[in-house]
Amino acid sequence: MKLTTAGESHGKALVGIIEGLPSNLPVDIDLINQYLALRQSGYGRGGRQKIERDKIEILSGVRNRLTLGSPLAFEIVNRDYENWKPYMAPEGADVTQKRLTKVRPGHADLTGVMKYDQTDARNILERASARETAVRVAAGAIAMCYLKELGVSVSGYVKCVCGIEDKNEYSFEELAAAKSQPLFMLDPAIQQKAMSLIDELREAGDTAGGIVEIRIKGLKSGFGSCMQYTTKLDAILASALMSVQAIKGVEVGMGFGVAYNRGSAVHDEIYLKDGRYVRSRNNAGGIEGGMSNGEEIVLRAAMKPIPTLMKGLHTVDYATGQPATAAAERSDVAAICACEVILESVAAFAIADVISGRLGGDNLREVKERYSRLS
Ligand code: EPS
């Protein structure tokens, strides 16, 4: 399975093409739009989300809500394009306007203008923007339709906002409550503190990142491989999560904790119970030797604070070489809820890809038969 994305943040539309879906897969358009709306939600988001009403428009590959096995192409229109058309139109635009040369620390601006031989960081940030993730959420929701057919589900919640951390453990079922919360957090008191901090940061013109936990339930053992480094499931998932804008760290299971504990406190002991292998706990996060071991897959990712700070950080104006305050017109204070939805989506897509890589299958019946034969 392969996803190609295209589109600029203030261009006409965001576009995605998915290749490799089996035929006859039911595509739940309401679910896709629900995920797109969730990506726009959450406490701490900025002005852009008041303009956009992200909705998928499927252009090919689906007939009467079932996939055809052909490339599935779709678009998500940028409503803000109407305001940006004079400055963004491919057919001709006034590029003297909306120029950005006071490059933002932490954003793609500076390295991008140098690499692509530009004088206007607008030509970089439009594509580097996290708006691109709308496409990945739509594709992830389609991957969830595929996973649902096999009894695999993906969920998650926000564990930490700018150092305010929920250290509780939750069952997979408990995670479902997160999405109805303003910050997708599960402890009301901790969430309240995090919301107050976001208010403070908004006043101060500052931003916040956080930690998201993603869990995958129902995946049978043996997905991924120990035979070649490129096929290790943890490497594939870490790459998927790290590919999301603003992610600076990924953990699997106990993650960095493994470095602080002895072997007997880290490894999950194995028992045979009623003819099935079970483990004493799940520090491995459902992956051993680069393969799923049948336990829940547990991933965590750290999101850096949004690099557009309304108060502006020290920078250099690329046009003049003079010291400057970094550009800021509008920004999210925190986009951790969006990040949670995006991480679920990219994890779902990566797992669907690994399953389809192992099972093949031109049509859904073949895929389901092959999956059901696995123990
Ligand atoms: C985003 C839209 C953008 C930003 C954000 C993501 O809107 P605008 O730039 O028009 O205000 O809110 O972009 C970034 C975080 C970024 O780094 O560029 C969206 O729809 O998710």
Side-chain angles (χ1 to χ4, degrees), residues 5-37:
T5 79
E8 280 74 44
S9 179
H10 304 95
K12 289 183 187 179
L14 300 160
V15 176
I17 299 180
I18 305 172
E19 290 171 67
L21 287 166
S23 65
N24 294 330
L25 173 72
V27 175
D28 185 343
I29 295 172
D30 295 337
L31 178 89
I32 301 166
N33 286 329
Q34 210 178 308
Y35 264 79
L36 286 171

mmCIF file of all heavy atoms in Angstrom, residues 5-37:
data_model
loop_
_atom_site.group_PDB
_atom_site.id
_atom_site.type_symbol
_atom_site.label_atom_id
_atom_site.label_comp_id
_atom_site.label_asym_id
_atom_site.label_seq_id
_atom_site.Cartn_x
_atom_site.Cartn_y
_atom_site.Cartn_z
ATOM 1 N N THR A 5 1.094 12.170 -1.150
ATOM 2 C CA THR A 5 0.327 13.370 -0.823
ATOM 3 C C THR A 5 0.856 14.543 -1.651
ATOM 4 O O THR A 5 2.023 14.558 -2.043
ATOM 5 C CB THR A 5 0.415 13.744 0.680
ATOM 6 O OG1 THR A 5 1.664 14.399 0.945
ATOM 7 C CG2 THR A 5 0.261 12.536 1.568
ATOM 8 N N ALA A 6 -0.033 15.508 -1.912
ATOM 9 C CA ALA A 6 0.375 16.738 -2.597
ATOM 10 C C ALA A 6 -0.485 17.874 -2.048
ATOM 11 O O ALA A 6 -1.531 17.633 -1.440
ATOM 12 C CB ALA A 6 0.173 16.601 -4.103
ATOM 13 N N GLY A 7 -0.030 19.088 -2.264
ATOM 14 C CA GLY A 7 -0.855 20.234 -1.876
ATOM 15 C C GLY A 7 -0.133 21.182 -0.950
ATOM 16 O O GLY A 7 0.648 20.761 -0.098
ATOM 17 N N GLU A 8 -0.395 22.479 -1.149
ATOM 18 C CA GLU A 8 0.170 23.509 -0.283
ATOM 19 C C GLU A 8 -0.886 23.949 0.729
ATOM 20 O O GLU A 8 -2.086 23.823 0.476
ATOM 21 C CB GLU A 8 0.619 24.715 -1.130
ATOM 22 C CG GLU A 8 1.973 24.512 -1.805
ATOM 23 C CD GLU A 8 1.946 23.563 -2.999
ATOM 24 O OE1 GLU A 8 1.014 23.692 -3.822
ATOM 25 O OE2 GLU A 8 2.835 22.692 -3.100
ATOM 26 N N SER A 9 -0.408 24.493 1.835
ATOM 27 C CA SER A 9 -1.315 24.865 2.929
ATOM 28 C C SER A 9 -2.386 25.867 2.479
ATOM 29 O O SER A 9 -3.538 25.766 2.881
ATOM 30 C CB SER A 9 -0.508 25.445 4.091
ATOM 31 O OG SER A 9 -1.368 25.820 5.130
ATOM 32 N N HIS A 10 -1.991 26.852 1.643
ATOM 33 C CA HIS A 10 -2.955 27.845 1.169
ATOM 34 C C HIS A 10 -3.206 27.710 -0.333
ATOM 35 O O HIS A 10 -3.625 28.657 -1.000
ATOM 36 C CB HIS A 10 -2.486 29.266 1.514
ATOM 37 C CG HIS A 10 -2.239 29.454 2.988
ATOM 38 N ND1 HIS A 10 -0.993 29.314 3.555
ATOM 39 C CD2 HIS A 10 -3.084 29.710 4.018
ATOM 40 C CE1 HIS A 10 -1.081 29.497 4.861
ATOM 41 N NE2 HIS A 10 -2.331 29.736 5.177
ATOM 42 N N GLY A 11 -2.895 26.532 -0.874
ATOM 43 C CA GLY A 11 -3.191 26.259 -2.282
ATOM 44 C C GLY A 11 -4.649 25.846 -2.442
ATOM 45 O O GLY A 11 -5.435 25.894 -1.495
ATOM 46 N N LYS A 12 -4.987 25.386 -3.662
ATOM 47 C CA LYS A 12 -6.395 25.063 -3.960
ATOM 48 C C LYS A 12 -6.916 23.920 -3.100
ATOM 49 O O LYS A 12 -8.039 23.931 -2.626
ATOM 50 C CB LYS A 12 -6.531 24.646 -5.426
ATOM 51 C CG LYS A 12 -6.370 25.778 -6.400
ATOM 52 C CD LYS A 12 -6.587 25.324 -7.837
ATOM 53 C CE LYS A 12 -6.235 26.483 -8.759
ATOM 54 N NZ LYS A 12 -6.390 26.163 -10.170
ATOM 55 N N ALA A 13 -6.084 22.896 -2.966
ATOM 56 C CA ALA A 13 -6.561 21.686 -2.275
ATOM 57 C C ALA A 13 -5.381 20.827 -1.856
ATOM 58 O O ALA A 13 -4.263 20.974 -2.366
ATOM 59 C CB ALA A 13 -7.457 20.881 -3.223
ATOM 60 N N LEU A 14 -5.658 19.929 -0.947
ATOM 61 C CA LEU A 14 -4.708 18.872 -0.590
ATOM 62 C C LEU A 14 -5.177 17.620 -1.321
ATOM 63 O O LEU A 14 -6.380 17.386 -1.450
ATOM 64 C CB LEU A 14 -4.726 18.647 0.921
ATOM 65 C CG LEU A 14 -4.354 19.884 1.736
ATOM 66 C CD1 LEU A 14 -4.853 19.743 3.171
ATOM 67 C CD2 LEU A 14 -2.853 20.121 1.709
ATOM 68 N N VAL A 15 -4.214 16.844 -1.766
ATOM 69 C CA VAL A 15 -4.535 15.700 -2.624
ATOM 70 C C VAL A 15 -3.823 14.453 -2.121
ATOM 71 O O VAL A 15 -2.687 14.541 -1.641
ATOM 72 C CB VAL A 15 -4.076 16.018 -4.079
ATOM 73 C CG1 VAL A 15 -4.296 14.826 -4.991
ATOM 74 C CG2 VAL A 15 -4.809 17.232 -4.621
ATOM 75 N N GLY A 16 -4.494 13.311 -2.222
ATOM 76 C CA GLY A 16 -3.848 12.047 -1.869
ATOM 77 C C GLY A 16 -4.170 10.979 -2.891
ATOM 78 O O GLY A 16 -5.257 10.991 -3.495
ATOM 79 N N ILE A 17 -3.224 10.081 -3.114
ATOM 80 C CA ILE A 17 -3.480 8.896 -3.945
ATOM 81 C C ILE A 17 -3.012 7.678 -3.167
ATOM 82 O O ILE A 17 -1.851 7.626 -2.728
ATOM 83 C CB ILE A 17 -2.752 8.954 -5.302
ATOM 84 C CG1 ILE A 17 -3.218 10.169 -6.117
ATOM 85 C CG2 ILE A 17 -2.993 7.664 -6.095
ATOM 86 C CD1 ILE A 17 -2.538 10.308 -7.474
ATOM 87 N N ILE A 18 -3.920 6.725 -2.957
ATOM 88 C CA ILE A 18 -3.562 5.476 -2.278
ATOM 89 C C ILE A 18 -3.555 4.365 -3.322
ATOM 90 O O ILE A 18 -4.540 4.171 -4.043
ATOM 91 C CB ILE A 18 -4.581 5.110 -1.176
ATOM 92 C CG1 ILE A 18 -4.750 6.268 -0.187
ATOM 93 C CG2 ILE A 18 -4.152 3.842 -0.442
ATOM 94 C CD1 ILE A 18 -5.878 6.060 0.817
ATOM 95 N N GLU A 19 -2.444 3.647 -3.359
ATOM 96 C CA GLU A 19 -2.359 2.477 -4.240
ATOM 97 C C GLU A 19 -2.279 1.234 -3.386
ATOM 98 O O GLU A 19 -1.706 1.265 -2.289
ATOM 99 C CB GLU A 19 -1.091 2.551 -5.095
ATOM 100 C CG GLU A 19 -1.126 3.630 -6.151
ATOM 101 C CD GLU A 19 0.229 3.789 -6.805
ATOM 102 O OE1 GLU A 19 0.667 2.868 -7.507
ATOM 103 O OE2 GLU A 19 0.857 4.835 -6.578
ATOM 104 N N GLY A 20 -2.839 0.137 -3.878
ATOM 105 C CA GLY A 20 -2.650 -1.157 -3.218
ATOM 106 C C GLY A 20 -3.799 -1.610 -2.336
ATOM 107 O O GLY A 20 -3.670 -2.622 -1.647
ATOM 108 N N LEU A 21 -4.910 -0.871 -2.341
ATOM 109 C CA LEU A 21 -6.077 -1.339 -1.566
ATOM 110 C C LEU A 21 -6.733 -2.504 -2.311
ATOM 111 O O LEU A 21 -6.822 -2.485 -3.540
ATOM 112 C CB LEU A 21 -7.097 -0.208 -1.411
ATOM 113 C CG LEU A 21 -6.748 0.927 -0.450
ATOM 114 C CD1 LEU A 21 -7.690 2.110 -0.667
ATOM 115 C CD2 LEU A 21 -6.822 0.454 1.002
ATOM 116 N N PRO A 22 -7.221 -3.503 -1.583
ATOM 117 C CA PRO A 22 -7.940 -4.584 -2.265
ATOM 118 C C PRO A 22 -9.301 -4.079 -2.749
ATOM 119 O O PRO A 22 -9.795 -3.070 -2.247
ATOM 120 C CB PRO A 22 -8.120 -5.635 -1.162
ATOM 121 C CG PRO A 22 -8.141 -4.835 0.100
ATOM 122 C CD PRO A 22 -7.229 -3.661 -0.119
ATOM 123 N N SER A 23 -9.886 -4.787 -3.682
ATOM 124 C CA SER A 23 -11.241 -4.413 -4.111
ATOM 125 C C SER A 23 -12.263 -4.848 -3.063
ATOM 126 O O SER A 23 -11.973 -5.685 -2.202
ATOM 127 C CB SER A 23 -11.573 -5.073 -5.450
ATOM 128 O OG SER A 23 -11.609 -6.477 -5.273
ATOM 129 N N ASN A 24 -13.432 -4.265 -3.146
ATOM 130 C CA ASN A 24 -14.595 -4.604 -2.302
ATOM 131 C C ASN A 24 -14.460 -4.204 -0.834
ATOM 132 O O ASN A 24 -15.179 -4.708 0.017
ATOM 133 C CB ASN A 24 -14.932 -6.102 -2.384
ATOM 134 C CG ASN A 24 -15.398 -6.477 -3.769
ATOM 135 O OD1 ASN A 24 -15.980 -5.633 -4.456
ATOM 136 N ND2 ASN A 24 -15.143 -7.699 -4.194
ATOM 137 N N LEU A 25 -13.510 -3.308 -0.552
ATOM 138 C CA LEU A 25 -13.391 -2.807 0.822
ATOM 139 C C LEU A 25 -14.437 -1.713 1.035
ATOM 140 O O LEU A 25 -14.452 -0.718 0.298
ATOM 141 C CB LEU A 25 -11.980 -2.237 1.051
ATOM 142 C CG LEU A 25 -11.770 -1.524 2.390
ATOM 143 C CD1 LEU A 25 -11.741 -2.532 3.535
ATOM 144 C CD2 LEU A 25 -10.482 -0.708 2.376
ATOM 145 N N PRO A 26 -15.307 -1.859 2.038
ATOM 146 C CA PRO A 26 -16.262 -0.777 2.312
ATOM 147 C C PRO A 26 -15.521 0.469 2.821
ATOM 148 O O PRO A 26 -14.713 0.375 3.739
ATOM 149 C CB PRO A 26 -17.150 -1.357 3.425
ATOM 150 C CG PRO A 26 -16.914 -2.837 3.394
ATOM 151 C CD PRO A 26 -15.516 -3.029 2.901
ATOM 152 N N VAL A 27 -15.779 1.594 2.171
ATOM 153 C CA VAL A 27 -15.141 2.857 2.572
ATOM 154 C C VAL A 27 -16.169 3.681 3.337
ATOM 155 O O VAL A 27 -17.191 4.082 2.778
ATOM 156 C CB VAL A 27 -14.619 3.620 1.324
ATOM 157 C CG1 VAL A 27 -14.073 4.981 1.714
ATOM 158 C CG2 VAL A 27 -13.539 2.794 0.631
ATOM 159 N N ASP A 28 -15.885 3.892 4.602
ATOM 160 C CA ASP A 28 -16.820 4.603 5.472
ATOM 161 C C ASP A 28 -16.511 6.102 5.399
ATOM 162 O O ASP A 28 -15.658 6.620 6.140
ATOM 163 C CB ASP A 28 -16.664 4.058 6.903
ATOM 164 C CG ASP A 28 -17.676 4.645 7.858
ATOM 165 O OD1 ASP A 28 -18.285 5.685 7.525
ATOM 166 O OD2 ASP A 28 -17.846 4.063 8.949
ATOM 167 N N ILE A 29 -17.219 6.774 4.486
ATOM 168 C CA ILE A 29 -16.941 8.198 4.239
ATOM 169 C C ILE A 29 -17.254 9.034 5.484
ATOM 170 O O ILE A 29 -16.544 10.001 5.791
ATOM 171 C CB ILE A 29 -17.714 8.681 2.993
ATOM 172 C CG1 ILE A 29 -17.155 7.936 1.763
ATOM 173 C CG2 ILE A 29 -17.582 10.193 2.780
ATOM 174 C CD1 ILE A 29 -17.914 8.127 0.482
ATOM 175 N N ASP A 30 -18.267 8.637 6.235
ATOM 176 C CA ASP A 30 -18.586 9.377 7.466
ATOM 177 C C ASP A 30 -17.437 9.275 8.464
ATOM 178 O O ASP A 30 -17.098 10.241 9.140
ATOM 179 C CB ASP A 30 -19.869 8.825 8.115
ATOM 180 C CG ASP A 30 -21.066 9.053 7.215
ATOM 181 O OD1 ASP A 30 -20.998 9.970 6.373
ATOM 182 O OD2 ASP A 30 -22.051 8.300 7.336
ATOM 183 N N LEU A 31 -16.849 8.079 8.565
ATOM 184 C CA LEU A 31 -15.719 7.894 9.485
ATOM 185 C C LEU A 31 -14.538 8.782 9.068
ATOM 186 O O LEU A 31 -13.906 9.432 9.913
ATOM 187 C CB LEU A 31 -15.276 6.430 9.518
ATOM 188 C CG LEU A 31 -14.066 6.163 10.414
ATOM 189 C CD1 LEU A 31 -14.513 5.859 11.842
ATOM 190 C CD2 LEU A 31 -13.205 5.018 9.897
ATOM 191 N N ILE A 32 -14.275 8.835 7.768
ATOM 192 C CA ILE A 32 -13.155 9.657 7.277
ATOM 193 C C ILE A 32 -13.396 11.121 7.657
ATOM 194 O O ILE A 32 -12.512 11.791 8.208
ATOM 195 C CB ILE A 32 -12.999 9.531 5.738
ATOM 196 C CG1 ILE A 32 -12.746 8.071 5.345
ATOM 197 C CG2 ILE A 32 -11.856 10.420 5.242
ATOM 198 C CD1 ILE A 32 -12.907 7.797 3.850
ATOM 199 N N ASN A 33 -14.624 11.599 7.410
ATOM 200 C CA ASN A 33 -14.927 12.999 7.724
ATOM 201 C C ASN A 33 -14.920 13.270 9.228
ATOM 202 O O ASN A 33 -14.553 14.362 9.668
ATOM 203 C CB ASN A 33 -16.254 13.411 7.088
ATOM 204 C CG ASN A 33 -16.097 13.594 5.584
ATOM 205 O OD1 ASN A 33 -15.030 13.984 5.111
ATOM 206 N ND2 ASN A 33 -17.144 13.300 4.838
ATOM 207 N N GLN A 34 -15.296 12.253 9.986
ATOM 208 C CA GLN A 34 -15.249 12.383 11.448
ATOM 209 C C GLN A 34 -13.781 12.544 11.900
ATOM 210 O O GLN A 34 -13.485 13.395 12.736
ATOM 211 C CB GLN A 34 -15.782 11.078 12.017
ATOM 212 C CG GLN A 34 -16.472 11.143 13.345
ATOM 213 C CD GLN A 34 -16.963 9.719 13.657
ATOM 214 O OE1 GLN A 34 -17.650 9.071 12.845
ATOM 215 N NE2 GLN A 34 -16.577 9.212 14.808
ATOM 216 N N TYR A 35 -12.882 11.762 11.323
ATOM 217 C CA TYR A 35 -11.460 11.885 11.667
ATOM 218 C C TYR A 35 -10.895 13.235 11.214
ATOM 219 O O TYR A 35 -10.091 13.844 11.909
ATOM 220 C CB TYR A 35 -10.645 10.712 11.097
ATOM 221 C CG TYR A 35 -10.464 9.640 12.150
ATOM 222 C CD1 TYR A 35 -11.488 8.742 12.439
ATOM 223 C CD2 TYR A 35 -9.298 9.566 12.900
ATOM 224 C CE1 TYR A 35 -11.348 7.801 13.445
ATOM 225 C CE2 TYR A 35 -9.152 8.621 13.911
ATOM 226 C CZ TYR A 35 -10.177 7.739 14.171
ATOM 227 O OH TYR A 35 -10.032 6.822 15.177
ATOM 228 N N LEU A 36 -11.353 13.685 10.035
ATOM 229 C CA LEU A 36 -10.876 14.994 9.564
ATOM 230 C C LEU A 36 -11.344 16.100 10.512
ATOM 231 O O LEU A 36 -10.591 17.033 10.809
ATOM 232 C CB LEU A 36 -11.380 15.260 8.137
ATOM 233 C CG LEU A 36 -10.664 14.459 7.043
ATOM 234 C CD1 LEU A 36 -11.370 14.632 5.698
ATOM 235 C CD2 LEU A 36 -9.195 14.871 6.918
ATOM 236 N N ALA A 37 -12.571 15.982 11.002
ATOM 237 C CA ALA A 37 -13.088 16.987 11.943
ATOM 238 C C ALA A 37 -12.328 16.905 13.268
ATOM 239 O O ALA A 37 -11.996 17.935 13.876
ATOM 240 C CB ALA A 37 -14.581 16.777 12.164
#
